[in-house]
Amino acid sequence: MKHVAFGGRLVMLGFGSIGQGVLPLILRHIDIPRDRISILSGDTRGRDIAAEYGVPFTILPLTRSNFRDVLTPLVGAGDFLLNLSVDVSSVALIGFARERGALYLDTCIEPWAGGYTDPSLTPSQRSNYALRESALALGGGEGPTAVLTHGANPGLVSHFVKAALLNVARDTGVETDVPATRADWAALSRALGVKVIHIAERDTQLASFPKQPGEFVNTWSIDGFVGEGCQPAELGWGTHEKALPADGRRHDFGCDAAIYLMRPGASTRVRTWTPLAGPLHGFLITHNEAISIADYYSVAEGGAVSYRPTVHYAYHPCDDAVLSVHELAGRNWQQQATQRLMMQEITSGIDELGVLLMGHARGAYWYGSRLSIEQARALAPHNNATSLQVTAAVLGGLVWAIENPRAGILEADHLDHARVLAVAEPYLGEMAGAYSDWTPLLDRGRLFPEDVDTADAWQFRNFRVV
């Protein structure tokens, strides 16, 4: 079905795995002539797929000095700038789109090339917290809609949180209407007793041949994963937490909803749980949703924050990606020369992506998507299980933005979760929810004694440096 018609031009920046995967979904579900779509990429990846769909494809990397000259003839009032690129400043593009009267959507807030690892910047300045603050500083209120960070995560998981909260309320006998405002959602989370939210993901996709030495293998953007993995580990910091970790730091600007650690996210593992995988160690990779969700669900009283959950990403990528990160760390975070995006060679596996809410009356509740490679291939071309969860979310964000063209700058948390999920869910496989009595302290100290203070550390002492 066509969800919406769009009369403007659609310019896609970047055409890696997500661009290639979302193009057929756009043509399937948005009523737009193909000659109104154009692709601008920094390299040749996907050129044959663009040709397959009859969409113009231009290779022209964007830089600080040329992006305005390149984009001005392509983007005007009523058009849509869909940013799926890497190494191009999202803040620069958001500002440009607003000046031109164009709609905008991205899947993360990118800096210019080198911004993730620039040694002249402090860890705080290289954080997602700082990137988020710089984007939000462009202004809110009415104006052309700019949807920030709306992929699978960040993005889709913010809608999972709302669905999960309503499910927990139903299952614990808490009567509630669907909240209509940010304050109402935060009040519901507080009333339910939610203290911690993990974005808990386990990718089990396997390829027909293994990772080779000197090769980084992943099921989605290698450049994107390495970039965010080299940023400081970050997490939204809850009001129930007793003390900062030894290398934890607060920012001296912005909303103060998050902290960072003085180490890369890809060197930090956290304990988490998903229904199919059970207990697991995931990487604490910095993501915008760890900050935005913590900020969105904050409750302020008397000029001080009285409630905020701790929020972070806990990511166990496919096994070849785990080996790739291990090798990357051994190389002192110098990226391998060879990259391989797993797609056609995948033989089996699923991506189990959801949110784990802890602290409420039922203990822990995971809610999210279980999508297999077989399902992904049956549902849409040019996708694997991981990319389809992202491209479905991009499609949902595009539809919402076209339907709400004057909403200003927004994060996923501010969108109508029911509308976005209605668009995305047909591509998400099985949507599942499961309760558990798991906590990060379960079975601790079984092999060796551990000094674990359950009152102070049931959440944070799951952190480990590797």
Side-chain angles (χ1 to χ4, degrees):
M1 64 177 293
K2 298 291 186 184
H3 292 294
V4 70
F6 185 62
R9 296 175 292 180
L10 173 63
V11 178
M12 296 179 63
L13 299 183
F15 204 60
S17 61
I18 305 309
Q20 295 166 36
V22 78
L23 179 60
L25 300 187
I26 291 171
L27 293 171
R28 186 180 293 177
H29 294 293
I30 297 178
D31 187 4
I32 179 174
R34 296 176 191 230
D35 62 4
R36 301 288 285 175
I37 303 174
S38 60
I39 297 167
L40 189 62
S41 179
D43 55 53
T44 62
R45 288 178 296 174
R47 181 163 55 183
D48 56 336
I49 294 174
E52 174 186 342
Y53 291 97
V55 173
F57 182 95
T58 302
I59 301 173
L60 183 56
L62 294 185
T63 66
R64 295 175 188 264
S65 59
N66 75 359
F67 80 95
R68 288 183 174 276
D69 291 338
V70 171
L71 293 177
T72 295
L74 303 175
V75 179
D79 294 332
F80 207 122
L81 184 60
L82 174 57
N83 178 21
L84 304 174
S85 66
V86 296
D87 292 340
V88 180
S89 168
S90 301
V91 172
L93 294 177
I94 296 164
F96 173 83
R98 287 174 66 79
E99 292 170 12
R100 302 290 293 170
L103 308 182
Y104 174 91
L105 183 143
D106 61 29
T107 58
C108 69
I109 303 176
E110 280 276 317
W112 289 111
Y116 287 135
T117 55
D118 185 347
S120 70
L121 300 177
T122 66
S124 176
Q125 292 170 327
R126 291 191 287 107
S127 67
N128 263 313
Y129 181 98
L131 289 169
R132 176 178 183 263
E133 290 290 336
S134 65
L136 295 178
L138 294 174
E142 186 175 328
T145 298
V147 180
L148 308 184
T149 65
H150 203 279
N153 60 307
L156 190 64
V157 294
S158 289
H159 308 308
F160 289 174
V161 170
K162 289 182 176 178
L165 287 170
L166 293 173
N167 291 348
V168 172
R170 176 199 65 207
D171 297 340
T172 57
V174 176
E175 295 187 7
T176 181
D177 295 326
V178 176
T181 67
R182 173 179 178 175
D184 292 341
W185 281 109
L188 175 60
S189 182
R190 183 185 197 179
L192 292 173
V194 173
K195 290 184 171 62
V196 176
I197 301 173
H198 289 185
I199 289 57
E201 179 178 8
R202 176 60 166 111
D203 182 353
T204 64
Q205 292 171 98
L206 297 173
S208 57
F209 55 96
K211 168 193 152 29
Q212 301 299 305
E215 179 185 47
F216 199 110
V217 179
N218 197 19
T219 54
W220 59 282
S221 171
I222 286 108
D223 291 331
F225 187 20
V226 171
E228 65 190 28
C230 290
Q231 286 180 275
E234 295 183 77
L235 63 162
W237 193 242
T239 47
H240 66 282
E241 302 287 1
K242 304 296 184 182
L244 289 177
D247 63 345
R249 303 288 187 274
R250 290 192 180 274
H251 302 274
D252 60 5
F253 61 96
C255 67
D256 198 36
I259 66 168
Y260 64 98
L261 309 181
M262 295 294 287
R263 49 179 130 141
S267 74
T268 307
R269 292 188 181 181
V270 291
R271 297 175 188 267
T272 194
W273 182 91
T274 69
L276 295 182
L280 60 95
H281 278 181
F283 295 111
L284 195 157
I285 302 295
T286 176
H287 263 194
N288 186 83
E289 78 269 17
I291 307 160
S292 74
I293 293 173
D295 192 13
Y296 187 83
Y297 289 93
S298 297
V299 176
E301 296 172 325
V305 175
S306 57
Y307 168 77
R308 174 182 291 140
T310 291
V311 186
H312 67 70
Y313 187 20
Y315 179 38
H316 192 310
C318 71
D319 292 350
D320 279 338
V322 173
L323 292 174
S324 299
V325 171
H326 180 70
E327 184 180 58
L328 174 69
R331 294 164 55 92
N332 272 337
W333 310 106
Q334 299 296 315
Q335 190 172 343
Q336 294 93 322
T338 304
Q339 299 182 0
R340 174 161 55 92
L341 178 68
M342 289 168 53
M343 194 64 70
Q344 298 305 320
E345 69 267 35
I346 298 174
T347 59
S348 64
I350 68 168
D351 203 320
E352 189 180 24
L353 169 66
V355 295
L356 182 67
L357 279 58
M358 294 184 281
H360 50 80
R362 293 285 298 273
Y365 178 69
W366 185 96
Y367 179 81
S369 161
R370 297 168 176 165
L371 181 64
S372 72
I373 184 60
E374 293 83 8
Q375 289 171 313
R377 286 172 173 158
L379 288 167
H382 311 301
N383 277 282
N384 60 33
T386 304
S387 69
L388 188 54
Q389 289 170 329
V390 180
T391 57
V394 172
L395 175 67
L398 283 169
V399 169
W400 190 91
I402 293 168
E403 292 175 339
N404 300 271
R406 299 292 297 175
I409 296 176
L410 299 145
E411 294 176 294
D413 312 278
H414 296 269
L415 275 56
D416 177 358
H417 81 286
R419 177 56 177 152
V420 174
L421 289 177
V423 175
E425 279 187 355
Y427 294 103
L428 298 179
E430 179 191 8
M431 293 299 298
Y435 287 97
S436 173
D437 61 358
W438 179 87
T439 78
L441 293 184
L442 188 66
D443 293 331
R444 294 288 287 273
R446 186 171 66 86
L447 296 179
F448 298 93
E450 289 189 78
D451 180 18
V452 176
D453 180 346
T454 56
D456 291 346
W458 74 275
Q459 159 60 15
F460 194 73
R461 289 190 186 175
N462 61 351
F463 285 69
R464 290 293 179 266
V465 181
V466 296

